[in-house]
Amino acid sequence: MVKKTFRVSDMSCSNCAMKLESLEDSLEGVKEINASYHKLTMVIEYDETKLSEEQIVEAVKRKGYTAVPA
Amino acid sequence: MSNSKNSSIDPVVLVTLGVVLVAVAFALIAFQPSGAQTIASASGTWGQIVVAFVTGITTGGLSCLAMQGGLLASSLAHQIEQEYQPAPGHLKRHGKKVEFVPPSRVNSALPIFLFLLAKLVVYTLFGALLGWLGSFLTFSPMTRAVLMIFIGIFMIGNALRMFNVHPIFRYFSVEPPKFITRYIRRTAKGTDTFTPLFLGALTVFIPCGVTQAMMATALGTGSVMLGAALMFAFTLGTSPVFFVLAWLTTELGAKLEKFFMRFVAAVVLIFGLVTVNSGLNLIGSPLSFNNMTSGLFASSSDSIPAVDSAQPVDADGSLTLNVQNEGYFPQTLRAAANTAFTLNLVTNETYSCARDFVIPDLNFYQLLPATGTAQVTIPAQAAGTKLFFTCSMGMYTGVIVFE
């Protein structure tokens, strides 16, 4: 398991954080996601053998946001 | 391959537009200036309920949308996600011919309706609870003033956040605890009906500034029935604005959403400033807009009801203040310095908040009779002193100048 932080600058409200955290349910290999609108960050703990950084960025993009590794 | 758009008008939309028209008509009737008689003045209780409804339809909807829009968006997330994702559609065979049937457009009106329905029920119950609690508590004008200033600052902060003025204003947005969002997500997952109902009920935990003020009012009623009725009327009033803006936002796309959010931000900013100003009036601060400008506009303001413009001085040296539904007349009273006097507060079918008369510096508060005269003894004050008075909402103001 690794824990990585992404900067998501285009969050515009608390609901954006909730939407990003919902990736917990759909992305295989994710243990936990903590997104913060206050800090514009998303901290994700995941199994790197099942999921890559690129896949995370792509999944975030599908939610309508842009994630950049911090 | 584009999604086909359903050309028929959604019945839920029609019903809601009907409610909007009825609500607007209701508001217009309530405020029609047919003499001094309005629905609001027909009865004190009924008047409060009408004011709550009108507050909801005029300010509450926008303010609540700014605050609770996130939860509403969550309740729509399932529908919105279906639209974002490339929906597969399906193939339909007609003999040898195979036709692609695109996916039907998702209806966003129903979840908004369910969200607002749940909100209405829960807020009504909460109003009953507040009314019951209020029978044990009373808010002093000072407590109410502090609450109003706090709420106003919160609204201004949220407006500036929506305008993206500075990152610091992001902290005015309430982030629900992680365990709550996770619970909501997992409990409501995959159910288009339950999610909006559940999230609508949850809005009670994140009331907007105007709602909080209305909750304080419900608390102040000290009555289960009136507390419930006030919150029901207010939430019902917010619903049409909430519905129309949310529906337009989801239907008309991101560009208009930005426009609406800016519009909402501007309105919330104005109401935030008005709320802070009312709070300042209520503590008798000379820094409120009304009190700073009372000297400048005294002559023109006092001339509104011409018959009341002259300062009535009784034979015994007492002063008379007419307390009307539209405020206090005259707005500036002049009294002799270093002499105590009696202030006669005259009401005549007065049902607005002007009845709740407050002199902050004297720590004086009295709910005046709807019709009648109440007397207040004003202690001697030094020359140059200004005693500000206001209604309990900080809306109507005036001043006694000692000279």
Side-chain angles (χ1 to χ4, degrees), chain B residues 341-390:
Chain B
F341 69 95
T342 302
L343 179 63
N344 299 311
L345 301 165
V346 180
T347 49
N348 183 16
E349 295 191 7
T350 306
Y351 297 98
S352 72
C353 63
R355 261 178 82 194
D356 291 352
F357 186 77
V358 181
I359 306 178
D361 286 350
L362 299 183
N363 204 18
F364 175 83
Y365 166 73
Q366 188 176 341
L367 179 64
L368 306 174
T371 299
T373 302
Q375 293 188 321
V376 190
T377 303
I378 307 291
Q381 305 285 327
T385 303
K386 285 183 175 180
L387 267 186
F388 295 105
F389 53 85
T390 176

Short mmCIF file of all heavy atoms in Angstrom, two decimals, chain B residues 341-390:
data_model
loop_
_atom_site.label_atom_id
_atom_site.label_comp_id
_atom_site.label_asym_id
_atom_site.label_seq_id
_atom_site.Cartn_x
_atom_site.Cartn_y
_atom_site.Cartn_z
N PHE B 341 -37.77 61.68 30.62
CA PHE B 341 -39.10 61.92 30.03
C PHE B 341 -39.76 60.58 29.71
O PHE B 341 -39.13 59.51 29.76
CB PHE B 341 -39.00 62.80 28.77
CG PHE B 341 -38.33 62.12 27.60
CD1 PHE B 341 -39.09 61.48 26.62
CD2 PHE B 341 -36.95 62.12 27.48
CE1 PHE B 341 -38.47 60.86 25.55
CE2 PHE B 341 -36.33 61.50 26.40
CZ PHE B 341 -37.09 60.87 25.44
N THR B 342 -41.04 60.67 29.39
CA THR B 342 -41.79 59.46 29.05
C THR B 342 -41.94 59.38 27.53
O THR B 342 -42.30 60.37 26.89
CB THR B 342 -43.19 59.49 29.70
OG1 THR B 342 -43.02 59.60 31.11
CG2 THR B 342 -43.98 58.24 29.38
N LEU B 343 -41.65 58.22 27.00
CA LEU B 343 -41.83 57.99 25.56
C LEU B 343 -43.08 57.15 25.37
O LEU B 343 -43.18 56.03 25.91
CB LEU B 343 -40.60 57.26 24.99
CG LEU B 343 -40.63 56.93 23.50
CD1 LEU B 343 -40.68 58.19 22.65
CD2 LEU B 343 -39.40 56.11 23.11
N ASN B 344 -44.05 57.69 24.64
CA ASN B 344 -45.29 56.94 24.36
C ASN B 344 -45.13 56.20 23.04
O ASN B 344 -44.89 56.83 22.00
CB ASN B 344 -46.48 57.91 24.26
CG ASN B 344 -46.69 58.66 25.56
OD1 ASN B 344 -46.72 58.07 26.64
ND2 ASN B 344 -46.79 59.98 25.48
N LEU B 345 -45.26 54.93 23.09
CA LEU B 345 -45.15 54.11 21.87
C LEU B 345 -46.57 53.75 21.44
O LEU B 345 -47.24 52.95 22.11
CB LEU B 345 -44.33 52.85 22.15
CG LEU B 345 -42.90 53.13 22.66
CD1 LEU B 345 -42.29 51.87 23.25
CD2 LEU B 345 -42.03 53.66 21.53
N VAL B 346 -47.00 54.32 20.34
CA VAL B 346 -48.40 54.16 19.92
C VAL B 346 -48.47 53.19 18.74
O VAL B 346 -47.85 53.42 17.70
CB VAL B 346 -49.01 55.52 19.51
CG1 VAL B 346 -50.46 55.35 19.07
CG2 VAL B 346 -48.90 56.50 20.66
N THR B 347 -49.22 52.14 18.93
CA THR B 347 -49.43 51.16 17.85
C THR B 347 -50.89 51.20 17.42
O THR B 347 -51.77 51.47 18.24
CB THR B 347 -49.08 49.73 18.30
OG1 THR B 347 -49.73 49.50 19.55
CG2 THR B 347 -47.59 49.55 18.46
N ASN B 348 -51.10 50.91 16.14
CA ASN B 348 -52.46 50.86 15.62
C ASN B 348 -52.51 49.76 14.57
O ASN B 348 -52.10 49.97 13.44
CB ASN B 348 -52.86 52.22 15.03
CG ASN B 348 -54.30 52.23 14.55
OD1 ASN B 348 -55.08 51.34 14.92
ND2 ASN B 348 -54.65 53.20 13.72
N GLU B 349 -52.98 48.61 14.96
CA GLU B 349 -52.96 47.43 14.09
C GLU B 349 -51.56 47.22 13.51
O GLU B 349 -51.38 47.07 12.31
CB GLU B 349 -54.01 47.56 12.99
CG GLU B 349 -55.42 47.56 13.55
CD GLU B 349 -56.48 47.42 12.47
OE1 GLU B 349 -56.12 47.18 11.30
OE2 GLU B 349 -57.67 47.53 12.80
N THR B 350 -50.61 47.22 14.38
CA THR B 350 -49.20 47.02 13.99
C THR B 350 -48.84 45.56 14.23
O THR B 350 -48.90 45.09 15.37
CB THR B 350 -48.28 47.94 14.81
OG1 THR B 350 -48.75 49.28 14.68
CG2 THR B 350 -46.84 47.85 14.33
N TYR B 351 -48.49 44.87 13.15
CA TYR B 351 -48.18 43.44 13.29
C TYR B 351 -46.78 43.10 12.80
O TYR B 351 -46.36 41.96 12.85
CB TYR B 351 -49.22 42.60 12.54
CG TYR B 351 -50.62 42.75 13.10
CD1 TYR B 351 -51.52 43.61 12.52
CD2 TYR B 351 -50.99 42.05 14.24
CE1 TYR B 351 -52.79 43.77 13.05
CE2 TYR B 351 -52.26 42.20 14.77
CZ TYR B 351 -53.16 43.06 14.17
OH TYR B 351 -54.41 43.21 14.72
N SER B 352 -46.07 44.08 12.25
CA SER B 352 -44.72 43.80 11.76
C SER B 352 -43.77 43.71 12.95
O SER B 352 -44.16 43.92 14.11
CB SER B 352 -44.26 44.89 10.80
OG SER B 352 -43.99 46.07 11.52
N CYS B 353 -42.48 43.43 12.65
CA CYS B 353 -41.52 43.30 13.74
C CYS B 353 -41.27 44.63 14.44
O CYS B 353 -40.60 44.66 15.47
CB CYS B 353 -40.22 42.68 13.25
SG CYS B 353 -39.36 43.69 12.04
N ALA B 354 -41.81 45.74 13.91
CA ALA B 354 -41.67 47.04 14.58
C ALA B 354 -42.27 46.98 15.99
O ALA B 354 -41.88 47.74 16.88
CB ALA B 354 -42.35 48.13 13.76
N ARG B 355 -43.19 46.04 16.17
CA ARG B 355 -43.81 45.85 17.50
C ARG B 355 -42.80 45.43 18.56
O ARG B 355 -42.98 45.71 19.73
CB ARG B 355 -44.86 44.73 17.41
CG ARG B 355 -46.26 45.18 17.27
CD ARG B 355 -47.14 43.97 17.14
NE ARG B 355 -47.45 43.39 18.44
CZ ARG B 355 -47.97 42.17 18.60
NH1 ARG B 355 -48.22 41.41 17.57
NH2 ARG B 355 -48.25 41.72 19.80
N ASP B 356 -41.78 44.68 18.11
CA ASP B 356 -40.76 44.21 19.06
C ASP B 356 -39.75 45.35 19.23
O ASP B 356 -38.76 45.43 18.52
CB ASP B 356 -40.04 42.97 18.53
CG ASP B 356 -40.96 41.77 18.50
OD1 ASP B 356 -42.07 41.87 19.04
OD2 ASP B 356 -40.56 40.73 17.95
N PHE B 357 -40.02 46.24 20.17
CA PHE B 357 -39.27 47.49 20.30
C PHE B 357 -38.05 47.30 21.20
O PHE B 357 -38.17 46.76 22.31
CB PHE B 357 -40.21 48.56 20.85
CG PHE B 357 -39.61 49.93 20.91
CD1 PHE B 357 -39.48 50.69 19.76
CD2 PHE B 357 -39.16 50.46 22.12
CE1 PHE B 357 -38.93 51.96 19.80
CE2 PHE B 357 -38.60 51.72 22.17
CZ PHE B 357 -38.49 52.48 21.01
N VAL B 358 -36.91 47.76 20.71
CA VAL B 358 -35.65 47.58 21.46
C VAL B 358 -34.90 48.91 21.53
O VAL B 358 -34.77 49.62 20.53
CB VAL B 358 -34.73 46.54 20.76
CG1 VAL B 358 -33.45 46.33 21.57
CG2 VAL B 358 -35.44 45.22 20.55
N ILE B 359 -34.43 49.25 22.75
CA ILE B 359 -33.46 50.36 22.88
C ILE B 359 -32.19 49.70 23.44
O ILE B 359 -32.08 49.46 24.65
CB ILE B 359 -33.95 51.48 23.82
CG1 ILE B 359 -35.34 51.98 23.38
CG2 ILE B 359 -32.95 52.63 23.84
CD1 ILE B 359 -35.93 53.04 24.29
N PRO B 360 -31.24 49.37 22.58
CA PRO B 360 -30.09 48.57 23.02
C PRO B 360 -29.31 49.18 24.18
O PRO B 360 -28.97 48.48 25.14
CB PRO B 360 -29.23 48.47 21.76
CG PRO B 360 -30.16 48.73 20.62
CD PRO B 360 -31.18 49.67 21.14
N ASP B 361 -29.06 50.51 24.11
CA ASP B 361 -28.21 51.12 25.15
C ASP B 361 -28.87 51.11 26.53
O ASP B 361 -28.19 51.21 27.54
CB ASP B 361 -27.84 52.56 24.75
CG ASP B 361 -26.79 52.57 23.65
OD1 ASP B 361 -26.24 51.49 23.36
OD2 ASP B 361 -26.53 53.66 23.08
N LEU B 362 -30.19 51.03 26.56
CA LEU B 362 -30.89 50.97 27.85
C LEU B 362 -31.22 49.52 28.23
O LEU B 362 -31.86 49.27 29.24
CB LEU B 362 -32.19 51.79 27.80
CG LEU B 362 -32.06 53.29 27.51
CD1 LEU B 362 -33.42 53.96 27.56
CD2 LEU B 362 -31.10 53.94 28.51
N ASN B 363 -30.81 48.62 27.34
CA ASN B 363 -31.13 47.20 27.54
C ASN B 363 -32.64 47.01 27.70
O ASN B 363 -33.10 46.22 28.52
CB ASN B 363 -30.38 46.66 28.77
CG ASN B 363 -30.18 45.15 28.68
OD1 ASN B 363 -30.29 44.59 27.59
ND2 ASN B 363 -29.92 44.51 29.80
N PHE B 364 -33.39 47.81 26.92
CA PHE B 364 -34.84 47.77 27.01
C PHE B 364 -35.42 46.98 25.84
O PHE B 364 -35.04 47.19 24.69
CB PHE B 364 -35.41 49.20 27.00
CG PHE B 364 -36.91 49.23 26.96
CD1 PHE B 364 -37.64 49.12 28.12
CD2 PHE B 364 -37.59 49.36 25.75
CE1 PHE B 364 -39.04 49.14 28.08
CE2 PHE B 364 -38.97 49.37 25.70
CZ PHE B 364 -39.69 49.27 26.87
N TYR B 365 -36.32 46.08 26.15
CA TYR B 365 -37.00 45.31 25.10
C TYR B 365 -38.44 45.09 25.51
O TYR B 365 -38.71 44.71 26.66
CB TYR B 365 -36.31 43.95 24.91
CG TYR B 365 -37.13 42.99 24.09
CD1 TYR B 365 -37.27 43.18 22.72
CD2 TYR B 365 -37.79 41.92 24.69
CE1 TYR B 365 -38.05 42.32 21.97
CE2 TYR B 365 -38.57 41.05 23.94
CZ TYR B 365 -38.69 41.26 22.58
OH TYR B 365 -39.47 40.42 21.83
N GLN B 366 -39.37 45.35 24.59
CA GLN B 366 -40.78 45.10 24.91
C GLN B 366 -41.55 44.75 23.65
O GLN B 366 -41.39 45.40 22.60
CB GLN B 366 -41.41 46.34 25.56
CG GLN B 366 -42.82 46.05 26.07
CD GLN B 366 -43.43 47.25 26.81
OE1 GLN B 366 -42.73 48.15 27.25
NE2 GLN B 366 -44.74 47.24 26.94
N LEU B 367 -42.37 43.73 23.76
CA LEU B 367 -43.30 43.39 22.67
C LEU B 367 -44.55 44.24 22.90
O LEU B 367 -45.26 44.04 23.88
CB LEU B 367 -43.64 41.90 22.68
CG LEU B 367 -44.62 41.45 21.61
CD1 LEU B 367 -44.05 41.65 20.21
CD2 LEU B 367 -45.00 39.99 21.80
N LEU B 368 -44.76 45.19 21.99
CA LEU B 368 -45.87 46.14 22.18
C LEU B 368 -47.19 45.49 21.79
O LEU B 368 -47.22 44.56 20.97
CB LEU B 368 -45.64 47.38 21.30
CG LEU B 368 -44.28 48.08 21.48
CD1 LEU B 368 -44.13 49.19 20.45
CD2 LEU B 368 -44.16 48.65 22.88
N PRO B 369 -48.30 45.97 22.36
CA PRO B 369 -49.60 45.45 21.92
C PRO B 369 -49.85 45.85 20.47
O PRO B 369 -49.32 46.88 20.01
CB PRO B 369 -50.59 46.15 22.86
CG PRO B 369 -49.87 47.37 23.32
CD PRO B 369 -48.42 47.04 23.35
N ALA B 370 -50.63 45.06 19.74
CA ALA B 370 -50.88 45.37 18.32
C ALA B 370 -51.54 46.74 18.18
O ALA B 370 -51.25 47.49 17.25
CB ALA B 370 -51.75 44.29 17.71
N THR B 371 -52.43 47.04 19.11
CA THR B 371 -53.06 48.37 19.12
C THR B 371 -53.07 48.88 20.56
O THR B 371 -53.51 48.15 21.46
CB THR B 371 -54.50 48.30 18.59
OG1 THR B 371 -54.46 47.82 17.23
CG2 THR B 371 -55.17 49.66 18.60
N GLY B 372 -52.58 50.07 20.73
CA GLY B 372 -52.55 50.61 22.09
C GLY B 372 -51.36 51.53 22.29
O GLY B 372 -50.68 51.91 21.34
N THR B 373 -51.12 51.88 23.54
CA THR B 373 -49.99 52.77 23.87
C THR B 373 -49.20 52.16 25.02
O THR B 373 -49.78 51.76 26.03
CB THR B 373 -50.50 54.18 24.28
OG1 THR B 373 -51.27 54.71 23.20
CG2 THR B 373 -49.35 55.11 24.59
N ALA B 374 -47.90 52.08 24.83
CA ALA B 374 -47.03 51.62 25.90
C ALA B 374 -46.12 52.79 26.28
O ALA B 374 -45.76 53.60 25.42
CB ALA B 374 -46.20 50.44 25.43
N GLN B 375 -45.80 52.89 27.54
CA GLN B 375 -44.96 54.00 27.98
C GLN B 375 -43.62 53.50 28.48
O GLN B 375 -43.54 52.50 29.17
CB GLN B 375 -45.67 54.78 29.09
CG GLN B 375 -46.93 55.50 28.57
CD GLN B 375 -47.53 56.42 29.60
OE1 GLN B 375 -47.57 56.09 30.78
NE2 GLN B 375 -48.01 57.58 29.16
N VAL B 376 -42.58 54.24 28.08
CA VAL B 376 -41.22 53.90 28.52
C VAL B 376 -40.63 55.14 29.15
O VAL B 376 -40.70 56.23 28.57
CB VAL B 376 -40.32 53.52 27.32
CG1 VAL B 376 -39.00 52.95 27.82
CG2 VAL B 376 -41.01 52.59 26.37
N THR B 377 -40.05 54.99 30.32
CA THR B 377 -39.37 56.13 30.93
C THR B 377 -37.92 56.15 30.46
O THR B 377 -37.18 55.18 30.65
CB THR B 377 -39.42 56.02 32.48
OG1 THR B 377 -40.79 55.92 32.86
CG2 THR B 377 -38.77 57.23 33.13
N ILE B 378 -37.56 57.26 29.80
CA ILE B 378 -36.20 57.40 29.30
C ILE B 378 -35.42 58.24 30.31
O ILE B 378 -35.79 59.40 30.57
CB ILE B 378 -36.18 58.10 27.91
CG1 ILE B 378 -37.12 57.38 26.93
CG2 ILE B 378 -34.76 58.20 27.37
CD1 ILE B 378 -36.68 56.00 26.50
N PRO B 379 -34.37 57.67 30.89
CA PRO B 379 -33.62 58.43 31.89
C PRO B 379 -32.88 59.62 31.26
O PRO B 379 -32.67 59.65 30.05
CB PRO B 379 -32.62 57.40 32.44
CG PRO B 379 -32.58 56.31 31.44
CD PRO B 379 -33.85 56.33 30.68
N ALA B 380 -32.51 60.57 32.09
CA ALA B 380 -31.81 61.77 31.61
C ALA B 380 -30.50 61.40 30.92
O ALA B 380 -29.79 60.50 31.37
CB ALA B 380 -31.54 62.69 32.80
N GLN B 381 -30.23 62.10 29.84
CA GLN B 381 -29.00 61.83 29.07
C GLN B 381 -28.29 63.17 28.80
O GLN B 381 -28.94 64.21 28.69
CB GLN B 381 -29.35 61.19 27.71
CG GLN B 381 -30.20 59.93 27.79
CD GLN B 381 -29.42 58.71 28.24
OE1 GLN B 381 -28.24 58.58 27.95
NE2 GLN B 381 -30.07 57.82 28.98
N ALA B 382 -26.99 63.09 28.69
CA ALA B 382 -26.21 64.31 28.44
C ALA B 382 -26.48 64.83 27.03
O ALA B 382 -26.88 64.05 26.14
CB ALA B 382 -24.73 64.00 28.60
N ALA B 383 -26.26 66.13 26.87
CA ALA B 383 -26.46 66.74 25.54
C ALA B 383 -25.52 66.08 24.52
O ALA B 383 -24.36 65.77 24.83
CB ALA B 383 -26.17 68.23 25.60
N GLY B 384 -26.05 65.85 23.34
CA GLY B 384 -25.24 65.22 22.28
C GLY B 384 -25.38 63.71 22.24
O GLY B 384 -24.94 63.06 21.29
N THR B 385 -26.01 63.15 23.28
CA THR B 385 -26.18 61.69 23.32
C THR B 385 -27.21 61.28 22.25
O THR B 385 -28.19 61.98 22.02
CB THR B 385 -26.70 61.23 24.70
OG1 THR B 385 -25.78 61.68 25.68
CG2 THR B 385 -26.84 59.71 24.78
N LYS B 386 -26.94 60.14 21.64
CA LYS B 386 -27.90 59.58 20.68
C LYS B 386 -28.32 58.21 21.18
O LYS B 386 -27.47 57.35 21.41
CB LYS B 386 -27.27 59.43 19.30
CG LYS B 386 -27.11 60.73 18.54
CD LYS B 386 -26.54 60.48 17.16
CE LYS B 386 -26.50 61.74 16.34
NZ LYS B 386 -25.95 61.51 14.99
N LEU B 387 -29.62 58.04 21.37
CA LEU B 387 -30.13 56.72 21.78
C LEU B 387 -30.79 56.10 20.55
O LEU B 387 -31.83 56.58 20.08
CB LEU B 387 -31.18 56.87 22.88
CG LEU B 387 -30.76 56.80 24.34
CD1 LEU B 387 -31.99 56.81 25.23
CD2 LEU B 387 -29.91 55.57 24.63
N PHE B 388 -30.18 55.06 20.04
CA PHE B 388 -30.76 54.39 18.88
C PHE B 388 -31.82 53.40 19.34
O PHE B 388 -31.66 52.75 20.36
CB PHE B 388 -29.67 53.64 18.09
CG PHE B 388 -28.64 54.56 17.48
CD1 PHE B 388 -27.37 54.68 18.03
CD2 PHE B 388 -28.96 55.34 16.38
CE1 PHE B 388 -26.43 55.53 17.47
CE2 PHE B 388 -28.03 56.19 15.82
CZ PHE B 388 -26.76 56.30 16.37
N PHE B 389 -32.90 53.31 18.58
CA PHE B 389 -33.90 52.27 18.86
C PHE B 389 -34.16 51.50 17.56
O PHE B 389 -33.88 52.00 16.45
CB PHE B 389 -35.19 52.84 19.45
CG PHE B 389 -35.82 53.96 18.66
CD1 PHE B 389 -36.68 53.69 17.60
CD2 PHE B 389 -35.57 55.28 18.98
CE1 PHE B 389 -37.27 54.71 16.88
CE2 PHE B 389 -36.16 56.32 18.25
CZ PHE B 389 -37.01 56.04 17.20
N THR B 390 -34.65 50.31 17.70
CA THR B 390 -34.81 49.42 16.55
C THR B 390 -35.87 48.37 16.83
O THR B 390 -36.31 48.20 17.98
CB THR B 390 -33.46 48.74 16.22
OG1 THR B 390 -33.64 47.80 15.16
CG2 THR B 390 -32.90 47.98 17.42
#
